[in-house]
Amino acid sequence: MPEPIVPTRSELHDGMRIEWHVPIEMDDGNVLDADVFRPDDDGVYPVIMSYGIYGKGLAFQDEIYAMQWNKLVAKDPTVLEGSTNAYQAWEVTDPERWVPDGYVVVRVDSRGSGWSPGFMDPRSLREIADFEQCIQWAGTQPWSSGRVGLLGISYYAVTQWRVAQEAPAHLAAMIPWEGYLDYYRGPTHHGGIRSEFQDRWWDTQVARVQYGVGERTLTNPHTGESIAGPVTLSEEELAANRVDLISELKRRELDGEWYAERSSDPTAITVPFLSAANWGGQGIHPTGNFEAFERAPAEQKWLEVHGDTHWTHFYSEYGRALQRRFFDHFLKGIDNGWDAQPPVLLNIRRPGEQFEQRTEHEWPLARTAWTHYYLGLGEESLGVAPPSSPATAQYQSMGDGLTFWLPVNDDEIEITGPIAAKLFVSSPTVDVDLFLVVRLFDTDGAEVTFEGSTDPNTPIAMGWLRASHRELDRERSRPYRPYHPHRRRDMLEPGTVYELDVEIWPTCIVVPPGYRLALTVRGKDYEYSGPLDEYGQSFYYATRGTGGMTHNDPEDRPPEVFDTTVTVHSSPSQPSYVLLPIIPPDTTSGGNRPRSHP
């Protein structure tokens, strides 16, 4: 093995044996850099590993993530109990929560990031091959029991899905916390419309911790060393050592092999997993968590869904307890009742950031009353009666669009599950972008939003579709989830009416009596019109409700095409509607009442 630039150092701190800069050699000779936290004895223990791009030496509390850390502590002060928090890092677990109870925590900088040299190409086949070899390495060390678990949020979840389909021999269980499966349909394109989120993400979180940024960035508070390697390279050298991600995305409007290599196939995942989703993750992660639970052939799999920020419940007392029970069972073999845990745990959402835990047996829920609500184009209403005569309504695509209202109800209504819409649309241009927003308004007419994963004013649900991407994959599609292959563009004939099926991402809301649910159809991103608090004004992903998932690239959305007048049509033979997952009150003691999907 090549000699590392900085030799491994072993220290005893806070009851842990910490080894900094442990080298892990890859099959091509490149050496990745790991930090290992373990009990200070000669025992063997299960391993919890994270492998990713954000710089393992960067303290959670430091400059880049200080705002998130402060919000976390305000949300759940128990984070400050039982740990010094000195080893907290972004989106990975705190070793002080695990090492005293007989676990080894391993953090690895992925190739090209932090202290691991090499070419940085996030989610690439090379990166996943490295991850697989790191798992094998961790399973064969003298301090390892041979059982490796994976734990982490977002990027550290996304790569879990991908490496799990390779079935590494020592991978025993994993917890992908808020992580997408599909790189095209997750963070980069929504309904075929290019999202600018990866542009923001690259500059804010990735480029500044590339290996070789060296002395130009922050330092590890424990070692005093740069978080981005022992050498300082020029900007030209850094650029030569990384993929030009934004250019790669911009020149790939359609789905294809490049995106497929950076996506995961859930049908190849058999390892036990706990998939944790966020109702408020609209536009990035939750469809991956739901789809993996639905489609993976793993015999032991669980789905948990929560609210709040992207990071709160990963670190909260609630989240830590779930993670501990799961790993104690699968990595240590402890009989703690996890095998009797119902497969689905939902935190049912109510206005005022109120949540109520409920266990279920499947997803989507078998007792769902899938209900068509038809668009009343004249009165801008939503009703269960199909249209009796043809009607049209128009909106300017760069305006506020059209909002269709459900009637006020005397009883509360629960909506939990995926949503779909079918709209009949025409345009004087060759293409149209649809932005659909499910919204809630209180008895005074004020909009109700929620703390979402990356925005404090997230609406109930969102969906998107570029009309030229309207082709459906009939085999993959379901009435409640249309699936578009996004492999070609079929341009519109101006003035012709087209049938468009729009996926609206899964959600949960209990609508109280007197509140009104609405569907807004528009041609641009949702924008929360209420007042913003300090966090909503200053957080770098907060964008009035989209959490950084905006769609304003003029190369992708030239005004001469997408700044237009859109006409929505509905008639007895072509009814426009939204399909809502109404959950009837369950008065039985045994859980769900079966009901067929539509």
Side-chain angles (χ1 to χ4, degrees):
M1 178 181 293
E3 289 294 324
I5 295 176
V6 176
T8 300
R9 299 193 303 277
S10 182
E11 303 172 355
L12 182 62
H13 287 296
D14 299 303
M16 301 182 292
R17 172 62 58 186
I18 307 173
E19 294 173 311
W20 307 107
H21 305 307
V22 178
I24 307 177
E25 186 175 9
M26 299 294 100
D27 56 4
D28 65 350
N30 198 69
V31 177
L32 303 185
D33 192 282
D35 295 335
V36 177
F37 305 80
R38 59 187 178 89
D40 185 34
D41 56 36
D42 296 325
V44 295
Y45 302 98
V47 178
I48 297 175
M49 173 176 280
S50 58
Y51 167 95
I53 203 168
Y54 294 141
K56 58 183 170 55
L58 174 59
F60 194 162
Q61 302 90 333
D62 220 327
E63 175 186 318
I64 298 176
Y65 300 111
M67 188 177 297
Q68 292 95 310
W69 172 258
N70 293 334
K71 195 172 185 70
L72 168 63
V73 172
K75 290 275 187 179
D76 189 351
T78 67
V79 171
L80 301 178
E81 301 169 5
S83 172
T84 69
N85 290 294
Y87 306 93
Q88 290 275 22
W90 176 244
E91 294 190 337
V92 297
T93 196
D94 178 4
E96 287 187 87
R97 300 286 184 187
W98 298 91
V99 173
D101 293 325
Y103 285 89
V104 176
V105 174
V106 176
R107 293 174 175 169
V108 186
D109 281 332
S110 57
R111 184 179 297 234
S113 71
W115 273 69
S116 293
F119 187 81
M120 178 190 278
D121 190 359
R123 311 171 197 83
S124 65
L125 295 179
R126 177 69 258 181
E127 188 179 76
I128 298 305
D130 289 348
F131 194 0
E132 183 179 7
Q133 291 174 54
C134 289
I135 293 170
Q136 299 298 81
W137 174 88
T140 56
Q141 296 306 296
W143 34 256
S144 173
S145 69
R147 301 184 67 79
V148 178
L150 306 178
L151 176 62
I153 315 174
S154 191
Y155 197 92
Y156 297 98
V158 170
T159 51
Q160 286 182 54
W161 294 128
R162 182 62 185 83
V163 79
Q165 72 184 65
E166 306 302 325
H170 292 281
L171 179 58
M174 65 181 191
I175 306 178
W177 199 278
E178 299 190 33
Y180 61 80
L181 291 170
D182 191 315
Y183 190 44
Y184 186 88
R185 292 163 184 79
T188 71
H189 292 78
H190 299 131
I193 310 167
R194 193 178 97 78
S195 169
E196 297 160 304
F197 177 77
Q198 289 285 276
D199 307 33
R200 292 185 174 91
W201 170 79
W202 186 259
D203 292 336
T204 302
Q205 295 182 251
V206 181
R208 60 201 302 182
V209 294
Q210 182 184 354
Y211 178 88
V213 174
E215 64 186 17
R216 294 196 295 272
T217 191
L218 302 169
T219 58
N220 183 322
H222 302 287
T223 67
E225 301 162 327
S226 164
I227 61 171
V231 299
T232 301
L233 303 178
S234 69
E235 292 297 336
E236 293 74 19
E237 289 172 309
L238 290 170
N241 283 338
R242 67 184 181 231
V243 66
D244 186 351
L245 183 66
I246 307 309
S247 294
E248 295 288 348
L249 292 171
K250 284 194 171 190
R251 69 188 184 89
R252 289 182 168 87
E253 177 194 353
L254 300 176
D255 197 5
E257 188 59 33
W258 189 84
Y259 290 104
E261 289 180 355
R262 289 157 177 78
S263 301
S264 302
D265 176 8
T267 65
I269 296 174
T270 58
V271 66
F273 66 79
L274 169 60
S275 176
N278 190 327
W279 300 122
Q282 299 288 317
I284 185 165
H285 291 305
T287 52
N289 291 106
F290 287 114
E291 186 177 354
F293 178 77
E294 287 184 75
R295 300 182 65 211
E299 294 181 0
Q300 297 171 301
K301 59 182 179 179
W302 286 263
L303 173 67
E304 183 273 347
V305 195
H306 52 269
D308 219 285
T309 70
H310 189 37
W311 54 92
T312 296
H313 286 306
F314 180 83
Y315 297 97
S316 75
E317 188 173 22
Y318 162 78
R320 296 195 308 266
L322 279 175
Q323 296 160 20
R324 175 55 58 87
R325 286 183 59 225
F326 180 83
F327 275 152
D328 277 355
H329 181 74
F330 283 105
L331 299 186
K332 287 190 170 185
I334 295 176
D335 184 8
N336 58 9
W338 183 270
D339 53 341
Q341 173 81 16
V344 176
L345 173 60
L346 304 180
N347 285 274
I348 302 301
R349 187 166 64 168
R350 296 173 180 271
E353 303 288 349
Q354 300 297 311
F355 294 88
E356 170 183 280
Q357 288 186 31
R358 189 175 76 207
T359 59
E360 299 284 353
H361 301 295
E362 72 290 304
W363 180 268
L365 305 188
R367 68 181 185 278
T368 302
W370 300 97
T371 306
H372 295 81
Y373 284 90
Y374 297 93
L375 276 59
L377 299 182
E379 59 275 18
E380 295 191 2
S381 64
L382 291 171
V384 294
S388 58
S389 60
T392 62
Q394 290 186 333
Y395 65 91
Q396 296 300 313
S397 58
M398 295 300 115
D400 293 335
L402 299 170
T403 297
F404 300 91
W405 301 82
L406 262 73
V408 175
N409 280 278
D410 295 331
D411 300 315
E412 69 178 24
I413 301 174
E414 179 186 337
I415 295 171
T416 299
I419 299 174
K422 184 185 290 291
L423 300 180
F424 291 88
V425 168
S426 64
S427 168
T429 61
V430 297
D431 212 345
V432 164
D433 282 347
L434 294 181
F435 293 73
L436 272 56
V437 191
V438 178
R439 306 165 70 188
L440 181 65
F441 295 82
D442 67 16
T443 54
D444 295 324
E447 185 168 10
V448 178
T449 58
F450 287 85
E451 182 85 66
S453 65
T454 53
D455 198 293
N457 300 292
T458 304
I460 304 305
M462 291 187 279
W464 310 261
L465 182 65
R466 174 158 289 172
S468 61
H469 289 231
R470 63 190 176 278
E471 179 189 16
L472 288 174
D473 181 327
R474 300 292 177 181
E475 183 176 343
R476 288 284 303 273
S477 291
R478 300 291 181 269
Y480 54 81
R481 190 191 181 194
Y483 186 88
H484 302 87
H486 298 296
R487 296 293 180 127
R488 69 181 190 189
R489 288 189 74 180
D490 293 322
M491 309 310 290
L492 308 184
E493 183 70 30
T496 299
V497 179
Y498 291 90
E499 178 180 352
L500 306 179
D501 293 280
V502 186
E503 175 189 9
I504 301 175
W505 285 26
T507 191
C508 173
I509 184 65
V510 176
V511 181
Y515 283 54
R516 297 187 74 182
L517 202 71
L519 174 71
T520 294
V521 180
R522 51 195 281 144
K524 64 177 184 177
D525 286 312
Y526 166 82
E527 292 180 313
Y528 174 64
S529 60
L532 299 180
D533 62 14
E534 181 181 355
Y535 175 77
Q537 297 178 52
S538 56
F539 181 47
Y540 45 73
Y541 285 139
T543 48
R544 284 199 170 271
T546 66
M549 267 61 76
T550 56
H551 309 80
N552 297 314
D553 183 351
E555 296 178 30
D556 184 67
R557 304 189 69 214
E560 61 270 21
V561 175
F562 294 100
D563 187 354
T564 185
T565 300
V566 180
T567 303
V568 181
H569 303 255
S570 193
S571 69
S573 61
Q574 294 183 323
S576 291
Y577 64 80
V578 61
L579 180 68
L580 295 181
I582 307 297
I583 308 302
D586 187 1
T587 57
T588 68
S589 60
N592 299 334
R593 293 190 299 271
R595 184 183 293 265
S596 297
H597 293 319

